């Protein structure tokens, strides 16, 4: 007879593993990746490959030679970070900037805190914000989505709808006149606009959201609360003065709202643990995003909003607890 | 919509291989070793000595307090010794070892199989009888049943809940009992209702046992006050607190007992044992045990005398499979793994589960990714990831405020953890440390 | 431009000065008197904060020492007699020297001697394993090998020997703080007197089973035969529950029991190697000072076979 295994209960396990969860996220990102390649061509492929390869390489090197631990790049988390990082940059970004961004994302954003599970901030966003502040020119020259023939090095660049809107309102134009200069809502929905690589096609991101919900990778609370908050907040502003404030649908479909709400804010490590906490976190991201967009200096604020709320997550976890069974009765 | 408890829970593969195996009576073993403490509470005291002759149903160990119980011989024969024997945990526990000779029963036991419906005893007499017959909760917790029936003054019980959920995967002993001994069980429920003086009894059964639900629904028409409720399949619905919440939507307060919300929960097996004890004068010395597993040749349900070594059950079910990697006393979620087939069946043994090697080892551990799956599956609304960490760091005060004592050890958190962390292992350790601290504080 | 800089400097200095003044008065207002000797005593303590003295950290111990009238119940296991003497000097109190202690592991059940009969697959913690069941071997008393003692040691004085699966104490680093003694659920670790040259003789077994059962589970178990009790000239050995125990205060390190023990459960550590057999053994043979860190010569080879 074999030696019997002895262990405390339970003796059954769900077949979910960290690896499976991460690869489900990757699958969920594929539609968005496909749309980007369709609109931006080679640039999307080059930037994605660079980001993924350098994220994996940096993680492996840091674990192997600096932390002297068993490299765990096969768990897929560095792959997810790499793709997300690529999703957050323009497709004509020079390779060397992408590599530096990956180093910051993995090295500073993740490994310096002790690797997967210990980082307080979303690594891809740390990388993105680092690049945005260090290389503002390259990071805000968005290629125009001309289709797959779009070349990588000398793409025609233009402003994002959000940038046009911000500039227009700043110059005293009315929203309705600005609206003529930017694509229609339908075009925005399937992503025919300038912007960061993965954020353009709302339809592809929603497909990914559906897949992740179906596979029970994430819960719906964070994305739904962010989207609802942004809709409500911008809706109120729009109702007050529709000529100086864009409508909520425009806000939802442009910039990084969809990408941020579905893929960035839902990062396990940096989001709250309880359902109540998730609502607070989502509402916070929504409010800060709109504040930055409407009242701030930057046209886009999703990544800052997520990073700011990331910082609040430990506090939320410490004070917002799930409702205990039998608790109400005891107090009441 | 079927009823269930609202928060948390998981749904492991049901794997009820033995659901269609009729309860077989296991042949008498050669020797039995009957532990003299098979329940929660004060250990009993052996009242037989080496060389004594005993008959089936004779008392061999005596209750030593209110929360304690009698133990009866399950066979007739000679007491070989009263000594410490290794039990399923590998530690020594005092046992009465009896060599089986024939099958002579105590003359007071009514061995006929006719159904006896009239309840002649009063409520006090019923509770005494149950105490005398050594009946404990047969769902696995083995809490002496008479304690649950003795309602303290000032508390009002208005509903009796009968647990026929059997939410543990693989196990089918309660399921078969509900199909084959339904009438006896219903009379048993009536006896319990009389003992508690309640007019309502609810039987909760998970929806994966439609035959049992239909059968009982048909029968309860002639038993006023008893209702059968189908429940959505959801682990750990068999937990007392979860079952009460699912059936009557009352929440047992944290640290409280079901009687704080006017309910008492008994298992279907207990109801059957109560029937036999009260109507047939038969103390608790045998029970239904499921023997099952993926590679077991003949997954079965056996009526087993207490004290029978597990090996006898395994042999009767077609022998130990070649690929055995783990043997579990109980279900896969809350059962205990055992390291020898010589250990005896006790009152709390609801099943023996044999796991093949490839399903025996735990998942490989990796770091916590804070996915919050443990939080969302915890039926008690706790934060297992946090309790796990606090227990590792021995932060006992924080564990206590974190509600570690509310943990029902259902294992949902460890079941669902994608990182394969031994969450429940550490939480259980923390819980035992904290409960020690609470006990010393009370003194 | 220069106006801006000037203004910045002036305003920052003003804020700093105001804050300093406020802080000074607040500090004066809330000043708490503390016996200066507490600081002095804490200064000479080892600052290990191990809790081996029974107080929460070195400062807690220092406070207790200052308050106490009699120092005899106190002892800093890390600093030892020297530290206690210094503390007594500062406080003007007397202190007696205590024997230095060291932790010993009373189990030799390596896989060669003690076969594993099942495989533990739970969380890697002795406390969890022992609350679950008796362990991977037939011996329910012995070392579980999951390293709780290693985890609690603040001084890196214990490590797990990968070959034997047993913890090993590094005597030079061990401060006898007692953390491992408390952590071990099977109470295998004992603090024993540190003799001259760190020589030790002890029964390396805690099995309370009858001889046959113990021997079956582990080849080097104490079987409770009592031979050591008979041979001991100093009445240092007692036998209880089939288990011998050598009283460190009575033992004179004569090594007679080591030779007598049929299962080599009694270990002699840091003794010079025996010249020949019994007769010469108890003579102080200063030749061949080779540390034999276990059972009598020749035994080890047999075991491996």
């Amino acid at each position: 007879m074999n030696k019997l295994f002895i262990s405390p209960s339970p003796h059954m396990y769900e077949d979910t593993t960290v690896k499976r969860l991460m690869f489900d996220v990757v699958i969920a990102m594929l539609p968005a990746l496909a749309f980007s390649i369709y609109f931006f061509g080679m640039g999307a492929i080059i930037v994605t490959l660079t980001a993924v390869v350098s994220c994996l390489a940096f993680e492996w090197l840091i674990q192997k030679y600096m932390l002297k631990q068993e490299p765990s790049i096969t768990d897929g988390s560095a792959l997810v970070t790499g793709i997300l990082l690529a999703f957050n940059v323009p497709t004509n970004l020079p390779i060397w900037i992408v590599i530096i961004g990956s180093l910051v994302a993995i090295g500073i954003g993740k490994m310096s805190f002790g690797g997967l599970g210990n980082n307080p901030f979303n690594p891809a966003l740390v990388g993105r914000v680092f690049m945005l502040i260090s290389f503002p020119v390259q990071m805000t020259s968005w290629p125009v989505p001309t289709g797959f023939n779009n070349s990588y090095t000398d793409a025609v660049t233009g402003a994002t709808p959000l940038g046009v809107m911000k500039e227009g309102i700043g110059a005293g134009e009315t929203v309705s006149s600005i609206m003529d200069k930017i694509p229609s809502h339908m075009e925005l929905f399937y992503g025919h606009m300038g912007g960061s690589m993965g954020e353009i096609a709302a339809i592809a991101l929603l497909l990914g959201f559906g897949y992740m919900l179906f596979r029970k990778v994430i819960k719906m609370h964070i994305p739904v609360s962010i989207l609802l908050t942004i809709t409500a907040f911008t809706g109120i502003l729009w109702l007050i003065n529709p000529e100086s404030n864009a409508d909520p649908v425009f806000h939802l479909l442009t910039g990084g709202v969809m990408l941020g709400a579905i893929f960035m804010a839902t990062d396990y490590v940096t989001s709250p643990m309880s359902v109540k906490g998730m609502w607070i976190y989502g509402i916070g991201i929504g409010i800060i995003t709109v504040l930055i967009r409407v009242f701030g200096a930057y046209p886009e604020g999703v990544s800052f909003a997520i990073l700011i709320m990331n910082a609040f997550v430990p506090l939320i976890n410490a004070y917002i607890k799930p409702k205990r069974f039998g608790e109400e009765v005891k107090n009441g | 919509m079927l009823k269930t408890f609202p928060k948390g829970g998981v749904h492991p593969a049901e794997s009820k291989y033995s659901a269609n195996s009729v309860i077989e009576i296991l042949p008498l073993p050669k020797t039995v070793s009957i532990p003299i403490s098979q329940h929660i509470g004060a250990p009993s005291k052996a009242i037989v000595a080496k060389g004594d002759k005993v008959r089936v149903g004779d008392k061999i160990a005596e209750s030593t307090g209110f929360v304690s119980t009698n133990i009866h011989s399950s066979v007739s024969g000679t007491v070989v010794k009263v000594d410490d024997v290794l039990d399923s945990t590998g530690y020594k526990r005092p046992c009465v070892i009896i060599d089986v000779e024939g099958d002579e029963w105590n003359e007071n036991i009514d061995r006929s199989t006719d159904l006896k419906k009239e309840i002649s005893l009063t409520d006090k007499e019923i509770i005494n009888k149950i105490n005398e017959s050594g009946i404990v909760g047969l769902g696995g917790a083995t809490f002496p049943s008479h304690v649950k029936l003795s309602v303290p003054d000032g508390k009002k019980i208005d509903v009796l809940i009968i647990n026929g959920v059997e939410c543990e995967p693989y196990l089918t002993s309660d399921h078969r009992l509900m199909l084959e001994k339904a009438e006896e069980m219903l009379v048993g429920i009536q006896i319990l209702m009389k003992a508690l003086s309640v007019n309502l009894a609810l039987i909760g059964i998970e929806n994966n046992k439609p035959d049992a639900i239909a059968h009982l629904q048909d029968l309860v028409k002639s038993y006023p006050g008893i209702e059968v409720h189908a429940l959505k399949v959801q682990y750990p619905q068999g937990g007392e607190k979860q079952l009460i919440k699912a059936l009557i939507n009352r929440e047992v307060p944290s640290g409280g007992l079901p009687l704080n919300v006017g309910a008492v929960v008994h298992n279907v097996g207990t109801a059957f044992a109560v029937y036999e004890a009260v109507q047939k004068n038969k103390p608790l010395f045998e029970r239904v045990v499921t023997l099952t597993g993926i590679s077991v040749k003949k997954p079965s349900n056996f009526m087993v005398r207490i004290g029978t070594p597990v090996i006898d059950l395994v042999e009767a079910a077609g022998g130990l499979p070649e690929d055995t990697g783990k043997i579990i006393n109980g279900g896969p979620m809350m059962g205990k793994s055992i390291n020898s087939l010589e250990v005896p069946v006790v009152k709390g043994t609801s099943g023996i589960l044999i796991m093949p090697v490839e399903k025996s080892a735990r998942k490989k551990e990796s770091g916590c990714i804070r996915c919050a799956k443990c939080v969302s599956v915890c039926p008690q609304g706790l934060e297992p990831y946090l309790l796990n960490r606090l227990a590792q760091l021995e932060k006992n005060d924080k564990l206590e405020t974190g509600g570690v004592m509310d943990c029902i050890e259902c294992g949902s958190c460890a079941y669902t953890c994608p990182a394969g962390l031994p969450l429940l292992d550490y939480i259980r350790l923390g819980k035992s440390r904290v409960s020690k601290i609470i006990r010393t504080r009370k003194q | 431009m220069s106006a801006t800089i000037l203004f910045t400097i002036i305003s920052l200095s003003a804020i700093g000065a105001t804050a300093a003044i406020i802080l000074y008065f607040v500090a004066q207002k809330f000043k708490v008197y503390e016996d200066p000797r507490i600081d002095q005593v804490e200064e000479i303590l080892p600052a290990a904060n191990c809790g081996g003295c029974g107080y929460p950290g070195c400062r807690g111990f220092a406070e207790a020492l200052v308050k106490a009238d009699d120092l005899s119940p106190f002892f800093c296991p890390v600093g030892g007699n020297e530290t206690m003497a210094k503390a007594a000097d500062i406080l003007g109190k007397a202190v007696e020297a205590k024997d230095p202690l060291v932790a010993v592991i009373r189990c030799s059940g390596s896989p060669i001697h003690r076969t594993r009969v099942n495989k533990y697959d739970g969380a890697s913690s002795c406390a969890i394993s022992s609350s679950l069941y008796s362990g991977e071997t037939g011996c329910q008393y012995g070392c579980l090998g999951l390293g709780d003692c290693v985890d609690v040691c603040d001084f890196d004085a214990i490590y797990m020997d990968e070959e034997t699966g047993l913890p090993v104490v590094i005597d030079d680093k061990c401060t006898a703080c007692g953390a491992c003694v408390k952590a071990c659920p099977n109470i295998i670790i004992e603090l024993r007197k540190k003799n001259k040259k760190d020589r030790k003789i002890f029964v390396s077994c805690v099995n309370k089973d009858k001889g046959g059962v113990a021997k079956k589970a582990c080849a080097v178990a104490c079987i409770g035969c009592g031979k050591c009790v008979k041979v001991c000239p100093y009445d240092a050995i007692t036998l209880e529950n089939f288990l011998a125990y050598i009283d460190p205060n009575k033992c004179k390190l004569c090594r007679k029991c080591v030779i007598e023990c049929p299962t080599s459960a009694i270990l002699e550590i840091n003794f010079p190697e025996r010249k020949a057999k019994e007769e010469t053994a108890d003579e102080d043979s200063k030749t061949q000072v080779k540390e034999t860190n276990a059972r009598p010569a020749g035994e080890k080879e047999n075991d491996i076979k």
Side-chain angles (χ1 to χ4, degrees), chain A residues 1-19 21-22 116-118 215-219 267-275 278 313-314 317 320-330, chain B residues 7 13 241 251-254 320 322 324-328 332-335 337-339 355 357 360 362-363 366 368-373 375-376 379-383 385-386 401-403 411 414-416 418 424-425 428:
Chain A
M1 196 169 73
N2 310 312
K3 270 184 200 167
L4 291 175
F5 281 88
I6 304 282
S7 69
S9 66
H11 308 285
M12 256 177 114
Y13 298 94
E14 214 166 53
D15 48 14
T16 322
T17 56
V18 172
K19 203 170 174 173
L21 291 173
M22 291 299 171
L116 181 63
N118 302 313
R215 295 283 282 173
K216 294 194 175 142
V217 177
I218 57 167
K219 290 181 147 198
D267 173 35
Y268 286 143
V269 185
T270 55
S271 62
M273 305 294 272
S274 63
V275 170
M278 288 177 187
V313 166
N317 280 338
I320 310 295
K321 297 284 178 189
K323 192 187 150 285
R324 288 225 203 118
F325 188 95
E327 188 178 38
E328 221 161 62
V329 190
K330 192 184 178 185
Chain B
K7 196 185 172 326
K241 294 177 174 183
E251 252 180 52
V252 178
S254 163
L320 193 70
E322 283 278 304
T324 302
K326 198 183 231 179
I327 302 169
I328 298 161
M333 296 300 284
M334 288 186 77
S337 50
I338 55 180
N339 60 15
M355 288 290 217
V357 170
S360 297
R362 286 191 163 182
K363 264 200 279 199
S366 53
C368 173
I369 55 165
R370 305 174 68 77
C371 65
K373 279 184 192 292
V375 179
S376 62
Q380 292 292 95
L382 305 174
E383 295 167 287
Y385 78 98
L386 186 67
T401 51
Y415 167 80
T416 202
L424 183 56
D425 295 11
R428 208 186 267 121

Side-chain angles (χ1 to χ4, degrees), chain A residues 21 44 56 133 177 216 225 230 247 267 271 290 296 331:
Chain A
L21 291 173
L56 288 172
I133 294 169
S177 67
K216 294 194 175 142
S225 59
I230 291 181
D247 59 292
D267 173 35
S271 62
V290 179
N331 300 338

